[in-house]
Amino acid sequence: MNMQEVARLLIGLRADGWSEKKINDFLLFIETGDEQYKPNGEKE
């Protein structure tokens, strides 16, 4: 992903109502694959 795509992803997640923590955890999961950051599918 390039930086423009990352920016669009962040904007989309914010528009969908994701909190900053949930966004950060999701990005950490994508990058590390660490299960502690895996999204659980629940809406906040």
Side-chain angles (χ1 to χ4, degrees):
M1 262 187 173
N2 64 40
M3 292 305 291
Q4 187 176 31
E5 292 167 331
V6 172
R8 288 180 179 154
L9 173 65
L10 294 173
I11 291 167
L13 293 174
R14 285 179 176 174
D16 196 41
W18 287 41
S19 69
E20 296 299 318
K21 177 167 180 6
K22 189 172 179 181
I23 290 170
N24 289 337
D25 284 350
F26 182 58
L27 294 175
L28 285 168
F29 174 70
I30 290 170
E31 196 61 33
T32 67
D34 191 332
E35 291 292 317
Q36 72 176 341
Y37 301 115
K38 186 175 183 177
N40 58 15
E42 294 178 12
K43 277 286 204 181
E44 290 184 357

